Amino acid sequence: MQIIDVTAEHLDLFCLCLEDWSDEAKEAGDRRRAWYEIMKQRGLGAKLALDEDGRAGGMIQYAPIEQSVVAGRDLYFIYCIWVHGYKKGRGNFQKRGMGTALLEAAEQDARENGAKGMAAWGVALPFWMKASWFRKHGYRKADRDGMALLVWKPFTEDATPPQWLKQGPPPESVPGKVTVTAYTHGWCMAQNLIMERARRAAAEFGDEVEFREVDTLENRIDLLACSQTDAVFVDGKQIRQGPPPSYDKIRKTIAGRVKRLGG
Ligand SMILES: CC(C)(COP(=O)(O)OP(=O)(O)OC[C@H]1O[C@@H](n2cnc3c(N)ncnc32)[C@H](O)[C@@H]1OP(=O)(O)O)[C@@H](O)C(=O)NCCC(=O)NCCS
């Protein structure tokens, strides 16, 4: 196995989160590529794990925490580590050491760039991005917001722990209309997919629905306000994000609110 930096050759695959076989990944649009291009200028690290036949099976992306979506300093933050685990497409690459090798390579890179530690997010559940996986690799809890854990591994004695941004108030609604507000960042293909579905669904209702897109990559103030990189609200109520709700489900939620407008 080999760990390499993402180059032009693998960029499409990286931007599709290794799911080049998936129509859903394509439905998510090119926002992740735009995020990559911007974040590359801001210190983003992006690596792939290749198997002995040169097939990409895993990826990791991380950046200086000051450029990221959590509060902290002199650390790097892992946005995402993903070893392809579906049977579909390129197949299951998990439990062959790719995740460990990617994490170690990212930590080494961060150290070489002068970071005082590494931070990552994980979920306090036995599926999805398990926080327990990071614990096995020497990470410990820095902060918690419900099921979402922020974990970290200090490299130096004087490193300070990261924190989640605090949740602000829900977005305001436009009087007399249904307001769909999509906070969008770009780093996550699944979140981009939800945003695109919400945009399309909102457009179906014409003037009755106001669609607002808030770019949390460029407007850190909005990120601070909503505390999340990506979220879709329909009239101030957040749509559950993971796993991505279907287009029909989002459309139904909006339709329900539109019906209330009339009545
Ligand atoms: C967490 C994750 C990155 C781990 O990747 P991985 O490549 O499976 O990790 P590793 O192979 O290094 O380690 C996993 C296990 O396989 C075991 N393993 C490693 N090499 C092995 C081998 N050759 N044979 C058998 N087992 C092996 C490890 O000991 C480890 O066991 P443990 O879980 O009991 O500790 C991966 O499971 C994943 O992507 N999960 C989903 C994460 C996710 O949701 N990401 C999206 C965030 S936006």
Side-chain angles (χ1 to χ4, degrees):
M1 189 219 309
Q2 203 192 346
I3 304 296
I4 61 161
D5 287 320
V6 170
T7 59
E9 186 193 346
H10 291 104
L11 189 52
D12 284 345
L13 188 61
F14 174 78
C15 290
L16 290 167
C17 296
L18 311 180
E19 295 178 25
D20 49 347
W21 50 269
S22 157
D23 289 337
E24 286 205 329
K26 286 164 196 142
E27 195 187 332
D30 54 9
R31 181 162 285 274
R32 191 166 141 80
R33 181 181 283 264
W35 169 81
Y36 172 87
E37 297 296 350
I38 292 169
M39 286 302 294
K40 239 3 229 174
Q41 310 303 316
R42 300 179 187 174
L44 178 75
K47 293 185 187 293
L48 292 174
L50 308 182
D51 72 3
E52 37 303 327
D53 297 324
R55 293 181 311 150
M59 50 171 261
I60 190 166
Q61 57 197 49
Y62 52 95
I65 201 160
E66 293 82 356
Q67 302 291 341
S68 82
V69 295
V70 297
R73 60 189 165 84
D74 301 328
L75 309 173
Y76 269 57
F77 174 70
I78 298 172
Y79 283 81
C80 182
I81 178 166
W82 164 235
V83 174
H84 196 274
Y86 302 120
K87 284 191 189 144
K88 287 177 277 187
R90 55 196 46 245
N92 188 349
F93 289 80
Q94 292 185 1
K95 293 196 183 285
R96 298 194 209 168
M98 279 190 170
T100 300
L102 284 163
L103 184 62
E104 285 174 1
E107 286 176 2
Q108 190 186 332
D109 192 22
R111 280 178 201 270
E112 285 168 10
N113 288 327
K116 292 183 176 180
M118 188 66 111
W121 66 273
V123 182
L125 293 170
F127 50 86
W128 196 236
M129 187 61 253
K130 294 181 282 189
S132 59
W133 187 79
F134 285 107
R135 277 209 212 93
K136 280 188 185 162
H137 288 276
Y139 285 67
R140 56 183 198 248
K141 188 181 93 174
D143 201 357
R144 181 167 186 153
D145 182 5
M147 285 292 138
L149 288 176
L150 187 57
V151 294
W152 79 310
K153 182 196 265 187
F155 300 153
T156 64
E157 296 261 308
D158 61 343
T160 50
Q163 287 180 308
W164 285 125
L165 300 174
K166 299 295 169 239
Q167 175 95 47
E172 287 177 11
S173 298
V174 179
K177 289 190 177 206
V178 173
T179 311
V180 177
T181 310
Y183 292 91
T184 177
H185 199 81
W187 68 276
C188 175
M189 187 264 288
Q191 299 297 332
N192 297 344
L193 169 65
I194 298 170
M195 209 281 289
E196 286 305 327
R197 285 179 176 166
R199 183 209 300 283
R200 274 200 295 130
E204 273 198 43
F205 296 91
D207 282 351
E208 287 173 301
V209 175
E210 172 93 6
F211 181 79
R212 291 178 162 176
E213 183 178 331
V214 183
D215 180 349
T216 56
L217 175 58
E218 290 307 337
N219 304 305
R220 198 165 158 82
I221 192 88
D222 290 313
L223 175 63
L224 291 167
C226 89
S227 96
Q228 297 170 52
T229 57
D230 297 84
V232 174
F233 289 82
V234 179
D235 279 346
K237 189 157 187 283
Q238 190 175 351
I239 291 182
R240 211 169 52 82
Q241 310 270 119
S246 68
Y247 176 80
D248 285 344
K249 187 155 189 262
I250 296 173
R251 192 189 173 285
K252 231 183 210 171
T253 306
I254 299 173
R257 299 298 305 181
V258 169
K259 208 168 170 191
R260 282 209 201 171
L261 273 183

